[in-house]
């Protein structure tokens, strides 16, 4: 495990995954999580098909920021943007600072999908992020299928051929002790 | 006049004769001279046949139109060798032309013009097919006039008997007797109708197929070619990618991207990781049947082992020596042999035909055990004719290819050039066939060498040379095959030349298979008494092939050749879906990685810039180095943040703010902070801070945030009069918090005079120092207020005013004068406050009104204004020395004392009316000031 530099800016990567036999290309923006960049990272919500909000279960401060992130996400994305809540570092049960129940309740109250990630999450390179992306893509795909996400609408964030849903990630983790598996 | 021109004269305008040849039409075995020409109009082509009244033709009157044939999909042309070939040199050949209505046979001279003629027909037909594909159906209207003419000028009796004229092609049950060249045959006619019904054509002359239904027609395993109902996501992905179990792309799949092409390449490279080898038994058999019908039981040839083979590959040569087969490439013999073969396949297994293909007498059929048939994909076939003139199907090769599981297989059956001494011709035939076979269902077309496994069977016609007949017969009797092989024309070349390069042949352990007296096991006893030879051979190319048997079958006696067979054990690659999926996903990840690696990658030497103690009108620069550490060129640009006007705050600039950096190189970005008159007041008042976040965007890549931090040293420049008159000390000595407080508009009203030392300045002390300096040192200086000051001196003056040190202002009078103007211009609120601006302009033409306006402005602003006016009046007294006049001073000070509010000046634009408005305003500002310079302000 090496120290991973925290994001100063917006990391960008692509990932092609399969959902129901369809190839979906995700464009992933991993935005800086520090509060001082909040005004800037707001620019990146626009036109996103999905947003992943990540907090560290061992540090309540990261959890406390969620409501402000969610406000931005709600205000700046279209109503059908898929928003996921992701509790990171679930392997560090001993150091847990935020209970699963309260996170789940927060998610339910705010109508977002709650996910738990094991191990680590580092920008867009971490291996275990795969599931989060897959679940996000599935949900987006499902929204397209049931018609709640209109592909023709401006800023749906999804292009059909070449498909490029965008998923910005708010990596709400102050840089001090962040360590990564990558 | 040449023939073409003569024909041209007989044509209507817009029609063009492209080719014409003197030829002979064969009617009842007799030759009748004809002129045949190709006519083109608007991309439609026709063949016109003329009779000639005299030879040579001298004018167009000599030509009479006889037959009109449109070159369309129904036209077929086939070539045939002339019947008499004794001379050994072919000088002409027969060309059959057939449309649904007309059927003629022409003797064509063997010359260049004939080849051009044939090539033109082929080209025209291709064009026709092409146009038809685009939906433009040629009408051939322009031929109607000729058709009528041909009818009238050409008595039916004289023409070749044309049964097709009487055929009602609409009805499928018409049974018509076809007479061809005087021969009548009821049975022969069936092929004609069936051929039209099926639109199936095996074309031996290298002319492009007329219809696209050629492939996948009745002979293929249609069921296997059907679109699979993919339910598994992997399969559907494969489908999307155009990936078969193998790595080939059939035409019709969507165009592939470089990513997919790359994925396919890696998949092919890593094939071993996800395939198992499964063995299949392949039976290959070849027989030159010399035009005979199957009257013997074929199981003696086809069943050589207890265990049934998985694949049967059976090739015949000289299957049908009839004229029909030759000219029109149809054969009744084929059906007989097909039936017979099917009957005698190994009894212990069920077989399904994969494909058969025939070129005149060369037939190749491939059968597979039913249980394996579902693993067969991408079936295709091709034929190459190498006969007379290189276009006729009496010699040549036919081929079938397909993919079994993941292994591509190609089978070729050929009949190469005959005669003892013609082995170079045979070599050439090999070269032609091996290079010209193209499986056009694929894009680009696959060739023989693109296959994992190739089996080449047939009557290769290689002879035993350099040995007397008696020796050959003696060796045969003693079964001394090794001795014989020394003379074998093929054996000597194998592995030594380009002929059958990379092909292998098993050890021959059987007698030469040619030439026997028909019905016997006795070698040729005719006059020619040909030397026996191993004409009939089976060769292979590729790994994972093991030959189990290689035999001849002398018991079969109907032909002058003996059939040959070989049994192989072949390793086939079978995809393990689980491992395949794993490898595939692996490759997808790898591709993602590569794709991400090729995203622009840069390294910044810093992402934070600190600008310490920034002063008014004194630039500070920080350099950020953008190093391109990626593999692609990088285009970077500072971009605007959400809802922002510019990419950065107005006191900041980046040079360049946008550029391209090549891999391995770097680019320095100069970030400059420069606080000028436009930005100084908001920084002074604390409304703005030296803080910003720049977004450095890489095109197609990530964004970097660059944080700008710094502190600004407050200056009297940009402060407000209100604040300045409250300061008893130089501004630098005032605590920041207090500064922010007194800069608040209206702060003066809250000042507790008793607390703050009991006094306020009448005017800002800095203004007093500047004015007093000029008053003492420079009111008589030439060109006062007209010569610009020095930047360094302006900075020194600023420091002196802000810190109070030194006591005497540094710099020249001109620098002081400019500082004065700058000071007035930078005031957060102008001397005449913004809110009075429009009133002043309105009053500018009237002294009294102007005075009224002045009387209502805040006290300390009025004081300042009056102070400046008094000073200016004083200066103007020295106009003979300093060269100033009222008008100039009014204009210069009008611009700084009476500034328009931000919103009004921003309204901007460069339109003519706007410029005019600004000029008018300037004049009014000057006029307003002028009143107070020429009159007593207080009066």
């Amino acid at each position: 495990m090496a120290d991973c530099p925290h994001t100063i800016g917006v990391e960008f990567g692509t990932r092609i995954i399969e959902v129901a036999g369809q190839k979906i290309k995700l464009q992933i923006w991993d935005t800086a999580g520090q509060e001082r960049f909040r005004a800037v990272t707001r620019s990146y919500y626009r036109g996103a098909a999905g947003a992943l909000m990540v907090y560290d279960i061992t540090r309540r401060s990261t959890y406390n920021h969620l409501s402000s992130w969610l406000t931005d996400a709600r205000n700046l994305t279209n109503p059908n943007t898929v928003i996921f809540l992701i509790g990171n570092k679930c392997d560090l049960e001993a150091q847990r600072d935020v209970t699963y129940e309260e996170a789940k309740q927060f998610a339910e109250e705010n109508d977002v999908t709650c996910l738990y990630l094991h191990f680590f999450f580092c920008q867009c390179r971490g291996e275990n992020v795969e599931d989060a992306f897959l679940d996000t893509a599935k949900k987006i795909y499902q929204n397209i299928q049931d018609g709640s996400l209109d592909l023709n609408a401006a800023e749906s964030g999804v292009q059909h051929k070449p498909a490029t849903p965008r998923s910005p990630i708010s990596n709400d983790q102050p840089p001090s002790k962040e360590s990564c598996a990558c | 006049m040449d023939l073409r021109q003569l024909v041209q004269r007989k044509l209507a305008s817009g029609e063009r004769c492209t080719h014409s040849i003197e030829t002979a039409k064969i009617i009842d075995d007799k030759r009748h001279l004809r002129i045949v020409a190709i006519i083109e109009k608007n991309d439609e082509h026709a063949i016109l046949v003329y009779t000639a009244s005299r030879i040579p033709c001298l004018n167009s009157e000599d030509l009479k139109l006889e037959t009109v044939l449109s070159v369309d999909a129904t036209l077929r042309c086939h070539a045939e060798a002339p019947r008499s070939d004794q001379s050994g040199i072919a000088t002409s050949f027969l060309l059959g032309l057939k449309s649904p209505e007309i059927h003629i046979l022409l003797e064509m001279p063997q010359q260049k013009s004939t080849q051009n003629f044939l090539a033109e027909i082929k080209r025209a037909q291709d064009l026709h097919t092409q146009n038809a594909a685009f939906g433009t159906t040629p009408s051939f209207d322009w031929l109607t006039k000729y058709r009528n003419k041909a009818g009238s000028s050409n008595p039916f009796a004289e023409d070749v008997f044309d049964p097709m004229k009487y055929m009602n092609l609409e009805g499928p049950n018409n049974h018509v007797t076809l007479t061809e060249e005087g021969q009548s045959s009821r049975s022969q006619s069936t092929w004609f109708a069936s051929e039209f019904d099926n639109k199936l054509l095996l074309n031996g002359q290298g002319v492009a197929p007329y219809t696209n239904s050629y492939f996948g027609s009745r002979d293929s395993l249609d069921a296997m070619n059907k679109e699979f109902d993919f339910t598994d996501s992997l399969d559907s992905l494969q489908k999307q990618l155009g990936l078969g179990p193998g790595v080939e792309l059939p035409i019709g799949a969507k165009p592939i991207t470089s990513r997919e092409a790359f994925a396919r390449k890696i998949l092919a490279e890593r094939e071993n990781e996800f395939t198992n080898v499964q063995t299949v038994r392949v039976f290959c058999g070849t027989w030159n049947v010399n035009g005979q019908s199957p009257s013997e039981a074929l199981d003696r040839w086809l069943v050589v082992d207890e265990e049934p083979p998985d694949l049967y590959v059976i090739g015949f040569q000289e299957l049908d020596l009839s004229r029909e087969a030759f000219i029109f490439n149809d054969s009744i013999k084929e059906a007989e042999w097909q039936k017979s073969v099917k009957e005698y396949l190994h009894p212990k297994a069920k077989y399904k035909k994969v494909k058969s293909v025939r070129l005149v007498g060369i037939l190749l059929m491939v059968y597979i055990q039913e249980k394996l048939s579902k693993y067969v994909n991408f079936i295709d076939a091709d034929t190459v004719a190498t006969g007379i003139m290189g276009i006729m199907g009496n010699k040549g090769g036919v081929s079938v290819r397909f993919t079994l599981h993941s292994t591509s297989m190609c089978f070729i059956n050929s009949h190469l050039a005959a005669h003892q001494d013609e082995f170079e011709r045979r070599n050439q035939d090999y070269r032609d066939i091996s290079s010209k076979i193209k499986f056009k269902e694929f894009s680009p077309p696959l060739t023989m060498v693109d296959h994992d496994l190739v089996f080449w069977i047939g009557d290769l016609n290689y002879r035993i040379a350099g040995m007397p007949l008696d020796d050959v017969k003696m060796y045969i009797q003693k079964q001394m095959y090794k001795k014989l092989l020394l003379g074998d024309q093929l054996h000597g070349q194998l592995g030594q030349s380009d002929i059958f390069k990379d092909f292998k042949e098993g050890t021959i352990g059987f007698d030469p298979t040619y030439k026997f007296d028909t019905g016997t096991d006795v070698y040729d006893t005719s006059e020619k008494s040909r030397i026996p030879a191993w004409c009939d051979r089976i060769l292979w190319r590729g790994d994972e092939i093991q030959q189990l048997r290689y035999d001849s079958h002398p018991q079969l006696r109907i032909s002058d050749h003996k059939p040959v067979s070989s049994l192989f054990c072949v390793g086939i690659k079978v995809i393990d879906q689980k491992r395949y999926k794993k490898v595939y996903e692996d490759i997808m990840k790898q591709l993602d990685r590569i794709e991400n690696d090729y995203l622009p990658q840069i390294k910044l030497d810093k992402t934070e810039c600190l600008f310490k103690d920034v002063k008014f009108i004194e630039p500070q620069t920080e350099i950020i180095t953008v190093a391109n550490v990626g593999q692609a060129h990088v285009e970077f640009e500072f971009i605007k943040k959400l809802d922002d006007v510019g990419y950065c705050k107005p006191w900041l600039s980046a040079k360049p703010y946008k550029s391209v950096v090549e891999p391995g190189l770097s680019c320095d970005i100069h970030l400059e902070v420069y606080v000028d008159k436009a930005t100084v007041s908001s920084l002074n008042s604390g409304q703005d801070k030296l803080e910003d976040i720049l977004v450095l965007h890489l095109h197609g890549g990530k964004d970097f945030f660059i944080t700008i931090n710094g502190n600004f040293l407050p200056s009297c420049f940009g402060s407000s009069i209100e604040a300045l008159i409250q300061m008893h000390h130089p501004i630098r000595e005032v605590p920041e918090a207090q500064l922010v407080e007194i800069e608040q508009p209206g702060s003066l009203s809250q000042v507790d005079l008793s607390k703050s030392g009991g006094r306020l300045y009448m005017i800002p002390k800095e203004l007093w120092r500047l004015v007093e300096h000029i008053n003492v040192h420079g009111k008589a200086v030439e060109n006062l207020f007209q010569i610009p000051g020095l930047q360094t001196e302006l900075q020194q003056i600023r420091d002196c005013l802000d810190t109070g040190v030194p006591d005497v202002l540094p710099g020249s009078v001109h620098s002081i004068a400019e500082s004065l103007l700058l000071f007035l211009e930078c005031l957060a609120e102008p001397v005449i406050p913004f809110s009075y601006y429009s009133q002043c302009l309105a009053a500018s033409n009237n002294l009294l009104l102007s005075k009224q306006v002045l009387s209502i402005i805040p006290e300390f602003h009025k004081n300042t204004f009056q102070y400046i006016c008094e000073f200016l009046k004083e200066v103007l007294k020295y106009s003979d020395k300093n060269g100033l006049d009222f008008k100039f001073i009014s204009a210069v000070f009008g611009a700084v004392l009476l500034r328009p509010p931000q919103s009004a000046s921003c309204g901007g634009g460069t339109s003519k009316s706007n410029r005019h408005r600004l000029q008018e305003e300037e004049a009014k500002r000057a006029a307003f000031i002028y009143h107070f310079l020429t009159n007593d302000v207080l009066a």
Side-chain angles (χ1 to χ4, degrees), chain B residues 177 251 305 367 453 506 599 755 761 795 830 838 906:
Chain B
T177 304
I251 282 175
D305 198 85
Y367 283 88
L453 307 175
L599 289 177
K755 261 189 186 170
Y761 287 113
Q795 290 169 2
S838 53
C906 285

Side-chain angles (χ1 to χ4, degrees), chain B residues 435-684:
Chain B
S435 64
K436 284 180 183 165
I437 283 179
K438 295 258 189 314
F439 299 105
K440 300 174 192 74
E441 285 283 88
F442 300 85
S443 178
L446 290 179
T447 61
M448 179 186 85
V449 293
D450 296 325
H451 293 82
D452 296 327
L453 307 175
V454 183
F455 291 88
W456 191 307
I457 65 175
D459 180 357
L460 309 187
N461 252 327
Y462 287 103
R463 307 300 169 90
I464 292 167
M467 278 184 213
L469 179 63
D470 291 343
D471 285 7
V472 171
K473 285 192 167 167
M474 187 260 291
Y475 288 138
I476 292 172
Q477 200 157 21
K478 294 184 177 171
Q479 300 194 337
M480 294 168 73
Y481 302 130
K482 276 188 184 165
K483 285 266 185 201
L484 278 177
L485 275 172
L486 293 177
D488 182 78
Q489 291 167 334
L490 177 58
H491 188 78
Q493 292 191 89
L494 264 188
Q496 309 294 319
S497 69
D498 66 315
I499 302 307
F500 286 98
K501 191 169 185 291
D502 298 329
F503 276 91
K504 294 189 192 79
E505 188 185 22
T507 312
I508 295 178
F510 50 86
D511 289 353
T513 54
Y514 175 83
K515 171 182 181 156
F516 292 91
D517 289 345
T518 306
T520 72
D521 290 338
V522 179
Y523 284 108
D524 188 18
T525 55
S526 72
E527 234 175 77
K528 291 188 179 171
S529 62
R530 293 180 182 81
I531 299 170
W534 283 298
C535 287
D536 308 284
R537 313 286 273 264
I538 294 171
L539 290 82
W540 72 89
R541 183 182 195 271
D543 303 324
E544 306 273 353
I545 299 177
Q546 188 195 348
Q547 192 175 43
L548 303 176
R549 305 180 70 107
Y550 191 19
D551 302 307
S552 75
H553 304 273
Q555 312 93 314
L556 297 170
R557 300 191 178 90
I558 53 168
S559 168
D560 55 351
H561 287 253
K562 297 297 182 189
V564 170
S565 75
S566 179
L567 191 64
F568 296 95
C569 185
V570 172
I572 297 287
K573 291 170 283 181
V574 180
I575 287 179
D576 177 330
Q577 287 298 333
K578 236 184 179 167
R579 281 186 287 153
Y580 177 83
K581 187 166 180 164
K582 200 179 162 293
V583 171
Y584 182 79
E585 281 175 358
D586 205 32
I587 291 170
M588 283 297 127
K589 274 188 190 161
Q590 193 187 341
L591 277 169
D592 277 340
R593 243 189 333 269
I594 291 170
E595 201 167 290
N596 286 322
D597 282 348
Y598 272 91
L599 289 177
Q601 308 274 348
I602 60 163
K603 218 171 182 165
L604 297 178
D605 60 341
K606 56 186 160 216
T607 55
E608 286 182 27
C609 289
L610 184 64
F611 294 92
K612 275 190 88 174
D613 297 339
V614 175
K615 294 176 182 171
F616 175 63
I617 56 163
E618 194 164 318
Q620 273 191 36
T621 303
E622 286 279 321
I623 293 172
I624 291 184
T625 304
V626 177
N628 184 348
V629 294
Q631 311 188 41
H633 82 269
V634 166
E635 194 178 349
F636 72 79
E637 181 180 1
F638 286 100
I639 56 167
K640 279 191 272 191
K641 296 173 285 283
L642 195 65
D643 305 327
D644 274 2
V645 186
Y647 66 86
C648 64
K649 294 275 184 69
W651 38 262
L652 184 66
S653 67
K655 278 174 195 149
Y657 83 97
K658 169 177 184 173
S659 185
V660 176
V661 189
E662 296 303 322
L665 300 180
S666 57
C667 170
D668 285 348
I669 301 174
H670 294 251
L671 289 175
E672 188 190 81
V673 169
Y674 183 74
V675 179
D676 62 8
K677 59 190 179 190
T679 53
V680 65
S681 66
S682 59
L683 287 166
N684 254 342

Side-chain angles (χ1 to χ4, degrees), chain B residues 279-290:
Chain B
T279 58
V280 297
R281 289 160 76 89
V282 178
F283 175 96
C284 292
T286 175
W287 194 7
N288 181 326
V289 292
N290 194 26

Side-chain angles (χ1 to χ4, degrees), chain B residues 113-167:
Chain B
S113 59
T114 307
Q115 287 181 14
N116 292 343
F117 183 87
L118 291 175
E120 178 66 12
I121 294 177
K122 176 178 166 1
R123 197 188 67 79
Q125 226 160 12
D126 285 349
L127 188 71
H128 176 89
T129 315
Q130 215 178 334
N131 288 344
F134 282 112
T136 49
T137 321
S139 60
F140 290 109
D141 288 342
W142 56 283
L143 287 178
T144 314
K145 57 183 181 289
Y146 295 118
R147 288 211 163 100
N148 296 337
K149 216 169 157 187
S152 63
S153 68
N154 184 24
F156 176 71
E158 199 206 22
D159 202 354
V160 65
F161 181 58
D162 186 358
M164 302 314 292
K165 278 186 177 170
Y166 307 99
M167 238 173 115

Side-chain angles (χ1 to χ4, degrees), chain B residues 69 136 229 334 422 519 559 648 666 699:
Chain B
L69 284 151
T136 49
D229 180 23
E334 174 175 357
E422 293 279 20
S559 168
C648 64
S666 57
H699 283 205

